[in-house]
Amino acid sequence: MKTLKLLCLLIFAAGVANAQGVKFSADKPAAGSTVKFTYDPKGTNLENLADVKCTSYTFFSKSNPKSTKIELTKDGTVYKGEISTPDSVTIVGLAFSVGDKKDEAPAGYVLAFTKAGKVPAEAYLNEAFLYGLAGNYYLGLTIDPEKAVSLYKQAFALKPELKKKNLNQYLSLEFKADKDKGTKLINENISALTKLKEPKEEDLGTALSLYLLLKKKTQADSVKAIIIKKYPTGNYAWNDGMNSLYGTKDFATQIQKAEEMIAAFKLDPGKKVDAGRLNSIYSILANSAIKAKDLEKFQDYAKKVTDKMTRASLYNNSFAWPSAEKKENIELAAQLSKQSLELIEASRNDEIPKYYNTKEEYLKYLDGAYGMYADTYGLLLYHQGKFKEALAMQEKAIPLYTTVPPDVSSRYVTYLIKDGQDDKAYREAEKLIKEGKGSDSLKNEFKMLYTKLKKDGTYETYLANLEKAALEKERAEWTKKMINIPAPAFSLTNLKGETVSLASLKGKIVILDYWATWCGPCVSSFPGMQKALNKYASNPNVVFLFVNTWQTEENREKLVTDFITAKKYNFNVLYDTKNIKDPSKFDVVSAYKVDGIPTKFVIDGDGNIRFKAVGFSGSDDGVVKEIDSMISLLAGKESSK
């Protein structure tokens, strides 16, 4: 599917966060109140940068956090804002950024809210979640297992019943904070669980998780067998069965397994929980039917999915869009694409799914889905020669995007040309090129329009001026994002078995790109990265390194080699090393504090990180322009030394 640019300090009590640059107007505000705050970026990594943005994350007792853009006003060097909260709020965290650059405040900016004058247990629980697991992703704060452990203890002291439900997460953090102490606590809890005369499924599940935490596979397998035997239709058996179903490659065998699961669990489509489970099974089978090229079965299984949004996604993401890209099965794809739009429209009157906090949030998601699916339908109409209909559909789609992807805008230009609207197509194409979003195909269309509309001067000169304006704009944006942080040293092995170290590249500009074969945005960015690499191939002072990381498969090296060979990329791929103490982590990507991939770093000749770029910009030319801007800004500094 389409990819968009595209996640140890002093412990303080929940209730107030005046850490570093944030001051709140209330120390322990009541849930439902409005709180004002000031933010001074002095001393943070956003100091002296313009256009600071703020996002608040509101956490509740059970549902997912809700993100909200906060409007800031500037008073001198200080920013002011306010947070409005619902009665159900437990904590609010603030994240400040300039472009892709976050204020990585180690302690974070977190404020707990009170109920009846007291900080509730759930507030401590949510803070523990942030400092123990997800705070870096949401807020840029530093993960601190010791702090998270302390917060869990405060939550458990207020509500002892919370401990059983959160025991595994709590003990895993005790283990991270202090391996010896954590191991002792885990063994004590395992011992207590094994002494239960009539252990429940959740008790056995906790014991299994704790054995896995200690990497005691034999004991874990033994408990797993007990759970499945004792609770053959329990949650664990269900999840185990679904994993097995998903991993089955042979379609006929997969169908048989699915039928056995439906019978074993006595799934009744009239029951809400069972309907959800059936939707999961039929979604797996529908996707497998596409791989097996059995389009009749794909439609049969997709029709069995009762959740409208899930079925719409199957029609569009799994079938219609890939068909539109490959120009295959156009008639059927167009039918199903149209149905996906009808399903999204019908979903607007449905009950709000529990993972959305408000009706507004739900409708916003539906708008985004409709825009994306309408773009698919427009392309299929275009392939059918229905140019006016394609244009009308694209004009419906574009306003529904928060940020319009370059390929969506380019298709709009193509449809305008087919409809005879050359002047408007010219203006739209010109705007895209000036913004640095022009693909090769768009430039070809622009050249045709330039000649057809008999514009003055030569096309080459005019295009060069447009691209110069785009590059200058991009350079100005990247100038604001320049940083100067020592790059962590590394020495890694590449595909050829050669050792490549950062130290050996002193004096050169190094583009470091973290990726994995399973990462869609990484793969989408590679054609652009290949174009950038080709552009600088004759420059001995620019080096591209592609660090494969977070690739956990046992056949990792074959997987990576086969991928690079099949795509015919001439990348210098390095293998990030697994951490000896914790094999779930990788050394170099952790040293560079990467939250998500693709992430690129540009390192100067002195070994300092000067730029960090996260995600895929949406087009090959966008990638090249991004690399051009960063390299050109550094090249001038390097040559002036």
Side-chain angles (χ1 to χ4, degrees):
M1 191 49 196
K2 308 155 197 182
T3 306
L4 308 179
K5 186 165 182 179
L6 307 146
L7 90 279
C8 57
L9 294 174
L10 180 66
I11 297 174
F12 60 89
V16 62
N18 290 335
Q20 295 185 21
V22 171
K23 291 183 180 178
F24 291 106
S25 61
D27 184 16
K28 293 181 179 179
S33 63
T34 296
V35 179
K36 295 182 179 180
F37 67 87
T38 60
Y39 171 66
D40 186 351
K42 186 177 181 180
T44 75
N45 59 337
L46 301 186
E47 185 176 1
N48 299 323
L49 296 183
D51 199 24
V52 172
K53 304 291 184 187
C54 177
T55 301
S56 72
Y57 289 90
T58 302
F59 289 78
F60 308 90
S61 295
K62 294 180 181 179
S63 59
N64 294 328
K66 178 187 176 184
S67 65
T68 307
K69 299 294 181 186
I70 302 294
E71 187 175 339
L72 297 176
T73 57
K74 196 171 183 184
D75 184 4
T77 60
V78 175
Y79 294 86
K80 296 180 179 180
E82 65 177 39
I83 313 160
S84 297
T85 63
D87 293 339
S88 53
V89 65
T90 58
I91 63 171
V92 170
L94 298 180
F96 297 92
S97 62
V98 174
D100 292 330
K101 189 174 184 180
K102 283 191 233 175
D103 175 351
E104 296 179 345
Y109 308 119
V110 183
L111 180 68
F113 287 74
T114 61
K115 301 281 176 73
K118 295 181 180 180
V119 176
E122 289 78 8
Y124 292 112
L125 206 64
N126 278 326
E127 276 202 279
F129 167 73
L130 285 174
Y131 289 101
L133 181 65
N136 188 267
Y137 171 77
Y138 285 113
L139 308 176
L141 59 79
T142 300
I143 297 301
D144 187 344
E146 289 184 10
K147 184 170 188 171
V149 164
S150 173
L151 290 162
Y152 268 124
K153 286 179 178 177
Q154 290 178 78
F156 300 157
L158 289 173
K159 258 192 185 180
E161 62 268 28
L162 291 174
K163 187 171 184 178
K164 186 174 183 179
K165 187 176 180 181
N166 297 278
L167 184 62
N168 191 54
Q169 298 95 306
Y170 160 65
L171 289 175
S172 69
L173 288 166
E174 284 276 23
F175 187 73
K176 283 183 180 179
D178 185 327
K179 191 172 181 180
D180 291 336
K181 181 183 176 184
T183 300
K184 183 181 177 184
L185 284 171
I186 290 169
N187 281 324
E188 286 174 358
N189 278 275
I190 289 174
S191 178
L193 289 166
T194 55
K195 289 176 182 176
L196 294 173
K197 289 184 179 179
E198 291 295 330
K200 295 179 181 177
E201 183 184 3
E202 61 184 16
D203 298 322
L204 292 168
T206 299
L208 171 59
S209 298
L210 296 179
Y211 276 129
L212 289 173
L213 197 58
L214 295 179
K215 296 183 171 54
K216 294 185 175 181
K217 188 176 183 303
T218 303
Q219 292 91 327
D221 288 343
S222 175
V223 175
K224 176 181 172 181
I226 292 169
I227 296 174
I228 292 174
K229 184 177 180 181
K230 191 168 184 178
Y231 299 98
T233 59
N235 288 328
Y236 190 88
W238 168 258
N239 291 328
D240 189 62
M242 286 297 286
N243 287 334
S244 175
L245 183 67
Y246 186 80
T248 302
K249 303 300 179 187
D250 180 69
F251 188 36
T253 306
Q254 193 179 54
I255 292 173
Q256 184 182 342
K257 279 190 178 182
E259 289 171 350
E260 289 170 357
M261 280 190 71
I262 292 169
F265 285 85
K266 298 178 182 177
L267 298 182
D268 179 356
K271 295 179 180 177
K272 192 172 183 179
V273 174
D274 286 357
R277 287 182 164 185
L278 285 167
N279 284 339
S280 298
I281 288 176
Y282 294 139
S283 293
I284 290 173
L285 293 177
N287 279 305
S288 294
I290 292 175
K291 292 176 185 175
K293 301 189 186 306
D294 192 334
L295 300 187
E296 188 176 338
K297 275 197 167 61
F298 165 70
Q299 293 178 81
D300 288 343
Y301 286 124
K303 283 177 184 175
K304 289 175 183 282
V305 174
T306 56
D307 181 76
K308 296 185 185 73
M309 289 191 294
T310 303
R311 197 195 316 167
S313 177
L314 281 170
Y315 284 159
N316 185 81
N317 299 2
S318 299
F319 185 72
W321 175 249
S323 297
E325 280 193 307
K326 297 173 186 175
K327 299 183 184 179
E328 297 175 351
N329 304 304
I330 298 301
E331 296 301 322
L332 176 60
Q335 290 174 29
L336 297 182
S337 179
K338 185 179 180 182
Q339 286 182 43
S340 74
L341 294 172
E342 292 167 352
L343 286 162
I344 291 296
E345 283 298 286
S347 297
R348 294 182 184 278
N349 299 317
D350 288 351
E351 180 184 346
I352 303 172
K354 62 181 179 181
Y355 40 86
Y356 293 101
N357 295 308
T358 63
K359 178 84 171 179
E360 181 186 9
E361 187 182 331
Y362 174 55
L363 292 176
K364 186 177 179 181
Y365 165 80
L366 292 178
D367 283 343
Y370 192 96
M372 192 180 293
Y373 298 176
D375 172 58
T376 300
Y377 188 41
L379 181 55
L380 289 162
L381 288 168
Y382 172 77
H383 288 326
Q384 290 178 313
K386 300 175 181 178
F387 303 131
K388 280 191 178 295
E389 292 95 326
L391 177 60
M393 191 53 59
Q394 206 71 355
E395 287 175 337
K396 267 189 178 183
I398 286 175
L400 296 174
Y401 280 91
T402 305
T403 302
V404 185
D407 62 325
V408 174
S409 298
S410 294
R411 283 192 280 278
Y412 181 49
V413 171
T414 301
Y415 304 162
L416 285 169
I417 293 170
K418 286 291 186 182
D419 195 50
Q421 299 187 48
D422 291 345
D423 286 318
K424 188 171 184 179
Y426 180 88
R427 292 193 300 272
E428 291 293 328
E430 182 182 51
K431 182 174 70 175
L432 286 170
I433 294 169
K434 199 170 183 177
E435 291 174 352
K437 298 175 182 176
S439 63
D440 290 340
S441 60
L442 180 79
K443 289 173 188 174
N444 288 335
E445 289 182 325
F446 186 62
K447 184 177 183 179
M448 179 274 293
L449 291 167
Y450 193 90
T451 304
K452 187 176 179 180
L453 296 172
K454 298 179 181 178
K455 297 292 181 179
D456 295 333
T458 67
Y459 165 76
E460 287 72 22
T461 302
Y462 192 68
L463 178 67
N465 287 333
L466 287 180
E467 291 186 321
K468 182 180 178 183
L471 186 58
E472 286 174 355
K473 182 183 176 183
E474 185 82 358
R475 279 169 58 93
E477 290 297 318
W478 282 107
T479 299
K480 297 176 188 176
K481 299 176 185 178
M482 285 188 83
I483 53 180
N484 197 358
I485 303 168
F490 62 79
S491 183
L492 300 173
T493 304
N494 67 10
L495 294 184
K496 298 177 183 177
E498 302 164 337
T499 299
V500 179
S501 68
L502 182 60
S504 68
L505 300 171
K506 190 171 183 180
K508 300 179 187 294
I509 295 172
V510 178
I511 293 87
L512 201 62
D513 191 357
Y514 289 97
W515 71 285
T517 60
W518 49 259
C519 167
C522 302
V523 174
S524 296
S525 73
F526 277 179
M529 288 301 292
Q530 182 67 65
K531 287 179 74 171
L533 189 152
N534 293 344
K535 184 171 182 177
Y536 290 93
S538 60
N539 189 334
N541 295 317
V542 177
V543 177
F544 287 76
L545 299 176
F546 297 81
V547 181
N548 176 262
T549 192
W550 295 346
Q551 196 88 47
T552 56
E553 295 88 347
E554 290 183 9
N555 61 336
R556 175 191 183 188
E557 293 191 9
K558 184 179 186 305
L559 204 67
V560 172
T561 303
D562 288 350
F563 173 83
I564 295 295
T565 302
K567 298 291 184 181
K568 298 181 180 177
Y569 294 135
N570 59 331
F571 296 167
N572 190 358
V573 174
L574 312 182
Y575 289 111
D576 196 357
T577 51
K578 286 187 178 181
N579 186 273
I580 295 174
K581 292 183 178 178
D582 186 354
S584 66
K585 294 180 180 178
F586 287 76
D587 294 321
V588 181
V589 77
S590 298
Y592 278 75
K593 298 179 180 178
V594 172
D595 298 329
I597 53 177
T599 293
K600 289 184 283 293
F601 293 91
V602 180
I603 301 167
D604 67 16
D606 293 326
N608 294 314
I609 298 171
R610 305 311 305 275
F611 297 105
K612 178 182 178 181
V614 180
F616 169 46
S617 57
S619 71
D620 297 351
D621 279 9
V623 172
V624 176
K625 180 168 60 72
E626 186 177 79
I627 297 293
D628 276 345
S629 300
M630 294 187 282
I631 289 178
S632 62
L633 284 168
L634 285 190
K637 295 180 182 296
E638 294 296 318
S639 62
S640 66
K641 289 180 183 178

